[in-house]
Amino acid sequence: MTGFFAALAVSFGVIFVAELGDKSQLMALTFATRFRALPVLIGITIATAVVHAVSVAVGYGLGAALPTGWIALVAAVAFLAFGLWTLRGDTLTEEERNKAEKTTKSAVVAASVAFFLAELGDKTMLATITLATQYGWFGTWLGSTIGMVAADALAIVVGRQLGRHLPEKAIKYGAAALFFLFGIWLLIDAILQLT
């Protein structure tokens, strides 16, 4: 069970931090201004669970097929790239904002579809794939799903209560620093395995 808890904790932490300031979090806040928070969170949870299940399946399959040293090296490069991506920032396009604001469908369905599409190819999906190459699939799936839903719930609660966004620069730099830290850690692990 130690592997399960490690996968759960690491994937929760990485995805929670990666989601802070991400466009999905901005979408959650936008949906919550139009709909009640609970249906929005249910929709987010459904979409996240499905996207991260696919991500974990891909990552776990790669982890079983490739040597661990090379996987750690690719994961290190990916996490360093995620750090740069986080520093670059993420914003909602006008089309994404309009979809979130003008949808007339059920809140659960609207949030599920919007989040599913927004997460395809997003850094949290790629981070989940990367984590699944290193850790057990179930703990990674559960931790990444809970981490993303928790970050989006935080955006909804804080956004609705305070009426303003979280401090963007602090979140951006903190998230990037954690990605760089994980990237360096994986790079050292890869070098040790390959030498």
Side-chain angles (χ1 to χ4, degrees):
M1 277 311 246
T2 309
F4 167 78
F5 288 116
L8 180 73
V10 170
S11 60
F12 173 87
V14 167
I15 299 304
F16 181 84
V17 169
E19 186 64 9
L20 296 176
D22 191 65
K23 70 179 175 183
S24 302
Q25 200 177 42
L26 299 174
M27 285 178 66
L29 186 56
T30 303
F31 269 107
T33 61
R34 180 168 166 84
F35 300 111
R36 291 185 344 235
L38 184 59
V40 172
L41 281 175
I42 291 170
I44 291 169
T45 303
I46 292 167
T48 301
V50 172
V51 168
H52 288 199
V54 171
S55 303
V56 166
V58 169
Y60 193 72
L62 285 174
L66 301 172
T68 58
W70 290 106
I71 290 173
L73 182 61
V74 169
V77 171
F79 272 88
L80 293 172
F82 296 152
L84 293 173
W85 187 346
T86 301
L87 284 175
R88 181 192 64 142
D90 215 354
T91 57
L92 284 178
T93 65
E94 195 60 38
E95 180 182 343
E96 290 167 332
R97 187 179 311 281
N98 287 337
K99 281 183 187 176
E101 290 174 351
K102 295 183 181 179
T103 185
T104 57
K105 299 176 186 175
S106 153
V108 173
V109 173
S112 292
V113 171
F115 276 82
F116 178 81
L117 295 174
E119 284 305 302
L120 293 178
D122 194 51
K123 70 182 170 195
T124 51
M125 180 184 184
L126 299 174
T128 302
I129 291 171
T130 304
L131 288 166
T133 64
Q134 301 289 312
Y135 297 97
W137 71 270
F138 184 68
T140 300
W141 172 76
L142 188 60
S144 65
T145 301
I146 293 170
M148 185 162 166
V149 172
D152 290 338
L154 177 66
I156 291 169
V157 169
V158 171
R160 290 184 84 156
Q161 296 297 324
L162 301 178
R164 61 180 180 231
H165 296 283
L166 294 169
E168 284 185 47
K169 283 188 178 184
I171 292 169
K172 182 193 305 187
Y173 294 138
L178 285 174
F179 273 122
F180 289 135
L181 181 67
F182 277 108
I184 291 168
W185 178 28
L186 288 167
L187 184 61
I188 291 168
D189 183 46
I191 291 168
L192 292 174
Q193 287 186 48
L194 293 171
T195 56

